[in-house]
């Protein structure tokens, strides 16, 4: 059972009782856990008498567009003034599935300067101290799982209907690699059992997220796999996707999601990395890191690639093109040999 911080729950109850207009914000390029947690929280707050709005820095990939409540989300990149007004009118701001305001770009400045109380609900390591109230637990596999525990502690069990359960399941499923990561516990499955009892259709959710690909996604996957490099003595695999190839295959946002995991399917590989050139910025490369066991992707991404995340999954970025990032990576990696091969 989640180690509930009773004091925090009490403070949250008081804050909620004093607030009507609430804002909920996920990280830029929101994933299933970010969207699932924001929508679940928004639904449950509305059901308990609040006006809540979800403001995303930008739009998520299409495989999340079916989520219950998706059409009510506001996007800061397409309507900044409307979002700013909402934030000015609010008294409480929830930030979900991230722990550093630099993860929401310019929206972060508005949050920082707002007089609203800020509440972080997150499961990434090394949280920054911008929030008035923090629910931060890196032991929990997804923000959705943590949020479920918070909802129960707040006494919202009865408000959790099929739609909210679907949103929570979406986040747990995507952030655990469909229940395969070591972050999955018996409690995770107990929560999922409750969600099933609330009427979710897991098969349908799985199909909407994973089996709704365009041919561009498979072509992008093929391109990344054909660029696979294996560094056997460092138990590492890396791949890359060049801007030209992405354009050739009519790359859509989200097409590259999850590709990095294929590196870990290789025998004896425990660190996998993908370098993806940004199709909107020719001086930027997005990097994803995945590991098995003790090797810390979070530290590696934080120390060298302006990023962070979890022990076994992290992200980062680098200036220049993929070749620049790969050269830097290949220079640094041998320093980690001991950690990689032990
Ligand atoms: P992905 O590689 O799928 O983009 O991200 C893997 C994990 O690392 C996710 O939990 C994501 O939220 C986190 N992450 C990705 N990029 C960054 C970043 O630049 N900074 C931090 N702190 N975390 C990141
Ligand atoms: Mn998450």
């Amino acid at each position: 059972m989640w180690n509930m911080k009773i004091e925090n729950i009490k403070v949250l109850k008081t804050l909620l009782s004093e607030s009507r207009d609430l804002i909920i914000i996920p990280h830029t390029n929101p994933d299933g856990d970010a969207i699932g947690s924001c929508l679940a929280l928004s639904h449950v707050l509305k059901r308990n008498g609040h006006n809540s709005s979800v403001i995303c820095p930008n739009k998520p990939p299409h495989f999340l567009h079916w989520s219950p409540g998706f059409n009510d989300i506001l996007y800061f990149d397409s309507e900044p003034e409307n979002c700013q007004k909402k934030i000015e009118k609010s008294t409480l701001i929830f930030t979900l599935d991230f722990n550093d305001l630099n993860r929401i770009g310019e929206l972060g400045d508005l949050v920082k300067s707002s007089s609203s109380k800020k509440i972080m609900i997150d499961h990434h390591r090394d949280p920054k101290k911008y929030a008035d109230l923090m629910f931060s637990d890196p032991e929990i596999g997804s923000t959705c799982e943590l949020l479920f525990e918070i909802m129960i502690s707040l006494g919202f069990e009865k408000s959790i209907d099929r739609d909210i359960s679907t949103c929570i399941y979406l986040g747990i499923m995507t952030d655990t690699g469909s229940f395969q990561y070591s972050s999955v516990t018996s409690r995770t499955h107990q929560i999922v059992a409750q969600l099933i009892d609330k009427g979710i259709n897991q098969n349908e959710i799985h199909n909407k997220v994973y089996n709704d690909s365009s041919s561009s996604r498979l072509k992008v996957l093929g391109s990344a796999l054909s660029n696979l490099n294996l560094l056997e003595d460092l138990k590492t695999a890396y791949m890359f996707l060049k801007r030209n190839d992405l354009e050739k295959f009519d790359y859509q946002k989200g097409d590259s999601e999850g590709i990095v995991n294929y590196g870990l399917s290789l025998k004896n590989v425990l660190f996998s990395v993908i370098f993806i050139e940004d199709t909107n910025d020719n001086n930027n490369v997005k990097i994803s890191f995945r590991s098995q066991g003790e090797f810390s992707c979070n530290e590696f991404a934080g120390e060298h690639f302006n990023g962070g995340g979890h022990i076994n999954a992290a992200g980062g970025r680098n200036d220049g093109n993929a070749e620049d990032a790969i050269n830097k990576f290949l220079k640094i990696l041998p320093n980690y040999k001991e950690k990689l091969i032990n």
Side-chain angles (χ1 to χ4, degrees):
M1 180 71 187
W2 178 53
N3 180 18
M4 176 176 55
K5 312 234 174 13
I6 295 170
E7 268 315 303
N8 276 4
I9 293 291
K10 269 194 198 152
V11 176
L12 180 53
K13 272 189 182 162
T14 308
L15 287 172
L16 284 174
S17 70
E18 293 164 348
S19 312
R20 262 183 66 75
D21 293 309
L22 317 173
I23 301 291
I24 306 168
I25 303 176
H27 55 78
T28 306
N29 299 327
D31 56 12
D33 191 29
I35 291 294
S37 58
C38 285
L39 290 176
L41 179 60
S42 182
H43 289 307
V44 94
L45 291 173
K46 279 184 180 149
R47 248 151 245 173
N48 286 278
H50 299 280
N51 292 325
S52 62
S53 308
V54 177
I55 298 181
C56 279
N58 63 352
K59 213 165 181 169
H62 84 275
F63 62 81
L64 297 173
H65 291 197
W66 57 271
S67 330
F70 182 81
N71 291 336
D72 296 330
I73 296 177
L74 302 170
Y75 298 99
F76 183 68
D77 63 350
S78 56
E79 39 174 337
E81 278 135 35
N82 186 22
C83 293
Q84 181 165 357
K85 270 194 210 132
K86 290 253 179 204
I87 289 175
E88 279 163 9
K89 204 175 151 228
S90 74
T91 46
L92 260 192
I93 299 176
F94 289 88
T95 67
L96 265 57
D97 201 35
F98 68 95
N99 61 17
D100 183 340
L101 290 179
N102 73 10
R103 298 270 284 131
I104 55 172
E106 286 172 24
L107 189 50
D109 299 331
L110 287 186
V111 172
K112 210 183 287 174
S113 60
S114 159
S115 57
S116 300
K117 293 269 191 233
K118 287 125 206 160
I119 300 165
M120 175 198 296
I121 302 178
D122 180 59
H123 68 131
H124 294 88
R125 286 182 184 266
D126 310 322
K128 297 286 183 300
K129 297 214 160 27
Y130 62 82
D132 299 284
L133 182 60
M134 281 168 62
F135 294 89
S136 165
D137 191 340
E139 298 297 315
I140 293 189
S142 60
T143 296
C144 276
E145 184 174 334
L146 174 58
L147 177 66
F148 183 87
E149 301 285 25
I150 294 171
M151 286 177 178
I152 298 294
S153 303
L154 285 170
F156 286 162
E157 223 261 272
K158 286 222 167 70
S159 320
I160 302 178
D161 61 6
R162 187 173 189 261
D163 279 353
I164 295 174
S165 302
T166 295
C167 295
I168 299 276
Y169 184 83
L170 166 66
I172 296 178
M173 178 188 82
T174 51
D175 257 30
T176 58
S178 300
F179 308 96
Q180 65 174 302
Y181 300 150
S182 54
S183 57
V184 174
T185 63
S186 62
R187 179 66 187 152
T188 315
H189 285 289
Q190 284 164 4
I191 291 173
V192 168
Q194 291 188 51
L195 301 176
I196 293 170
D197 288 342
K198 297 272 187 185
I200 63 162
N201 185 336
Q202 314 100 280
N203 179 243
E204 192 178 287
I205 299 170
H206 189 100
N207 282 335
K208 282 177 173 164
V209 172
Y210 296 115
N211 297 335
D212 196 24
S213 296
S214 58
S215 61
S216 72
R217 175 172 156 79
L218 289 191
K219 286 177 183 162
V220 166
L221 170 64
S223 173
L225 294 178
S226 68
N227 292 330
L228 179 81
N229 289 274
L230 183 58
L231 306 168
E232 265 178 86
D233 57 333
L234 294 166
K235 297 191 176 178
T236 296
Y238 71 91
M239 292 169 257
F240 56 88
L241 285 165
K242 297 265 204 194
R243 190 168 301 108
N244 282 350
D245 289 331
L246 293 173
E247 280 161 4
K248 188 168 75 192
F249 297 133
D250 191 24
Y251 172 80
Q252 308 290 316
K253 207 156 89 174
D255 282 350
S256 55
E257 195 132 318
I259 294 181
V260 61
N261 294 308
Y262 283 89
L264 292 181
S265 70
L266 293 166
K267 196 173 171 179
N268 288 329
V269 165
L270 52 81
F271 189 35
S272 175
V273 185
I274 188 165
F275 301 86
I276 305 172
E277 289 184 345
D278 189 334
T279 46
N280 298 315
D281 176 355
N282 57 18
N283 193 39
N284 187 42
V285 178
K286 155 88 183 126
I287 312 168
S288 288
F289 304 90
R290 298 290 185 273
S291 69
Q292 303 268 23
E294 307 279 295
F295 187 76
S296 174
C297 292
N298 174 51
E299 275 178 31
F300 193 89
E303 280 168 23
H304 307 290
F305 292 102
N306 303 301
H310 315 278
I311 288 191
N312 296 129
R317 52 163 307 281
N318 200 60
D319 291 338
N321 61 20
E323 207 178 325
D324 299 325
I326 291 168
N327 285 338
K328 176 172 165 183
F329 172 72
L330 292 176
K331 237 187 220 163
I332 295 162
L333 194 65
N335 301 333
Y336 289 80
K337 186 163 185 175
E338 265 185 29
K339 285 188 178 161
L340 284 162
I341 61 175
N342 284 323

